[in-house]
Amino acid sequence: MVKLNELLHYTQELMQVERFKDYCPNGLQVEGRPEIRKIVTGVTASMALLEAAKQADADLILVHHGYFWRNEDPRVVGIKRSRLAFLLKNDLNLMAYHLPLDAHAEFGNNVQLGQVLGITPSGFAGESKLMAYGALVKPVTLAVFAAQIESTLQRTPLVIGDPQKIVQKVAWCTGAAQGYIDAAIEVDVDVYISGEISEQTTHQSIESGVSYISAGHHVTERYGVQALGQHLAEKFNLMHEFIDIKNPV
């Protein structure tokens, strides 16, 4: 068991929150009970995750996608009202880390996805150094690499590029980071991986010669929050459970 304030102070420093100009508040977003015994982690603080966390006897829900995004409707109505009412009624804490969790050198989404895919980052580029890049142990065709990603993440990716192209140098940034393809082009990789794709991404990929793999926003961002939750559980002798609320995007 740990006091909420102690856990929050440690996590804020660990995640280097002050480094980032983010689109949402990082850290404690909804305050609940003052002592933590169990953490439930998930990608997004949907109602389904909140309900599952309550069933799992969580004291703290730790997510990548929380609430109070810049430019959203500030009124507490509809879905927002229901979610906040549930958290407050059940005395549950909600903590969220967005860009700090993407970028963290040990527990970040990008580093963790690289580990899952067997790629060690050799450097970082782009705004706030969010995009990672490195190399496969040995070159493979784009088709083989895409099949490996599908097998590992259990989701069929959308692939732009010649299936028979040989790839080895890889850049990646999880989530909705298709815009970082420009940074991938600058570091001269063979293929860039992100979670989503925009209409213009197809043309950028074809015209630059950098193949593109849209592997899924949700599935590429499952790993950082798990790693952070497990670290906090080990640090403070807590219980931890990751709950995966499926999302096809």
Side-chain angles (χ1 to χ4, degrees):
M1 183 174 65
V2 64
K3 297 290 187 183
L4 171 64
N5 288 341
E6 181 182 354
L7 178 67
L8 177 61
H9 178 75
Y10 173 81
T11 312
Q12 292 289 96
E13 290 195 344
L14 176 68
M15 301 310 290
Q16 300 178 307
V17 169
E18 70 284 349
R19 282 183 49 206
F20 301 90
K21 294 181 180 179
D22 212 336
Y23 317 105
C24 61
N26 287 289
L28 186 65
Q29 293 190 337
V30 179
E31 184 178 358
R33 61 197 64 154
E35 294 180 336
I36 308 301
R37 294 179 175 82
K38 182 173 182 179
I39 301 172
V40 158
T41 54
V43 176
T44 298
S46 63
M47 182 59 83
L49 180 65
L50 306 188
E51 292 172 342
K54 179 180 182 296
Q55 289 296 315
D57 293 323
D59 303 297
L60 169 66
I61 303 169
L62 174 63
V63 297
H64 180 47
H65 301 138
Y67 302 154
F68 313 115
W69 297 92
R70 184 189 304 164
N71 298 325
E72 75 174 19
D73 186 342
R75 296 176 301 159
V76 182
V77 298
I79 290 172
K80 182 187 289 186
R81 178 190 182 280
S82 298
R83 291 173 172 179
L84 293 176
F86 186 91
L87 288 164
L88 294 170
K89 177 182 178 181
N90 291 287
D91 209 17
L92 289 168
N93 293 282
L94 176 68
M95 286 172 61
Y97 291 94
H98 187 233
L99 294 184
L101 186 60
D102 286 321
H104 196 271
E106 184 176 357
F107 307 115
N109 282 323
N110 291 322
V111 169
Q112 290 293 318
L113 179 63
Q115 289 182 15
V116 169
L117 298 178
I119 319 167
T120 301
S122 59
F124 297 86
E127 184 180 355
S128 299
K129 302 296 183 184
L130 286 175
M131 186 192 76
Y133 58 90
L136 302 176
V137 175
K138 62 180 182 179
V140 295
T141 66
L142 179 62
V144 167
F145 186 45
Q148 291 171 350
I149 291 174
E150 179 173 1
S151 176
T152 300
L153 302 184
Q154 292 297 293
R155 180 189 182 277
T156 302
L158 188 155
V159 182
I160 306 297
D162 179 0
Q164 298 309 309
K165 173 185 174 181
I166 301 299
V167 299
Q168 185 167 25
K169 294 182 292 182
V170 183
W172 67 99
C173 190
T174 65
Q178 57 268 48
Y180 276 76
I181 190 172
D182 291 328
I185 293 167
E186 289 181 8
V187 296
D188 191 30
V189 295
D190 303 312
V191 58
Y192 174 56
I193 308 165
S194 189
E196 296 186 21
I197 187 167
S198 298
E199 189 273 343
Q200 66 267 25
T201 316
T202 300
H203 305 295
Q204 291 172 294
S205 172
I206 292 170
E207 293 172 28
S208 68
V210 174
S211 300
Y212 186 78
I213 298 177
S214 173
H217 192 139
H218 175 82
V219 297
T220 58
E221 296 197 321
R222 289 182 302 194
Y223 303 102
V225 73
Q226 292 185 66
L228 177 59
Q230 188 58 35
H231 170 74
L232 295 175
E234 293 171 359
K235 172 74 175 178
F236 294 103
N237 193 28
L238 306 172
M239 293 180 287
H240 167 238
E241 180 180 351
F242 173 70
I243 297 178
D244 190 16
I245 304 298
K246 303 297 184 183
N247 190 325
V249 174

